[in-house]
Amino acid sequence: MPQATVNGRQIAYGDTRGDGVPVLLVHAFPFNSTMWQPQVDALGSRYRLITPDLTGFGGSDAPEDRSAYSMDAWADLLAGLLDELGIDKVVLAGLSMGGYMAFAFLRRHRRRVSALILADTRAEADPPEGVEKRTTQQGLIEREGTSGLIEGMVGALLSESTRTNKLDVVDQARKAMDNPAAGFIGGLEAMKGRPDSSDELASIDVPTLVIVGENDAVTPPDAARKIHEHVGGSRLVTIPEAGHISNLESPEAFNGALAEFLGSL
Ligand code: MLT
């Protein structure tokens, strides 16, 4: 995997170097960029898919210092990566935590976003009980490592249908969650601190595709509908039987929605 140095940090990323429009695909928590493999395989030669590992994940630096992690820091990191790659504008796609980051990217680097894909995500900040839960998870990881949380997340993130019928996908998801403990703790810190982006939805003026798994229990269809209702002209696609990681759980439907949207730009 290629590496770049941005703002003093090593960042690992995939780049399919396809001919079409550049698309920056930003992973969920606690995954790394390998969660985008089904999109890279199917669409990587038609589009230039760039799949970074955010700080703390995959092959990127994973500092212990929690203050190194925020949606803003990740947004600046990715803008710096685009500079390194000589890319001015991208289609920005974020799934869940990647979507939270996308709102920060829009606040800080709006000019560079030509279109937006928000998958299995929400605009709201964490409620107080959500922040508390993440703090408990951070303590658990510090004491016991990441394996307990990973097993819990397999159950929470993937739909029952995926867990029963697609064991290869469960395996792939587990592998994409194999990231440093510091990244888990940092990712939770960044999610805890993110602001509410609800009021900014109405000002999004680029073509926007909203995708959600029908059985997403973490950022349910209602959260996607809210984004869709507030972002003028956006499209909403619901992926049947998929849970929260809809791109990995139902790649054909997800890729179809992606290709149709990219083709329309
Ligand atoms: C993610 O999939 O990125 C996270 O599970 C989202 C969250 O915990 O809010």
Side-chain angles (χ1 to χ4, degrees), residues 27-31 95-98 100 120 122 126 134 153 157 188 191 194 218-219 244-245:
H27 61 78
F29 174 89
F31 295 87
L95 193 141
S96 195
M97 182 178 79
Y100 306 159
D120 300 286
R122 65 167 74 247
D126 281 352
R134 295 200 202 276
M153 293 204 86
L157 303 186
L188 290 164
M191 289 193 287
R194 76 186 194 281
V218 179
T219 51
H244 183 58
I245 311 298

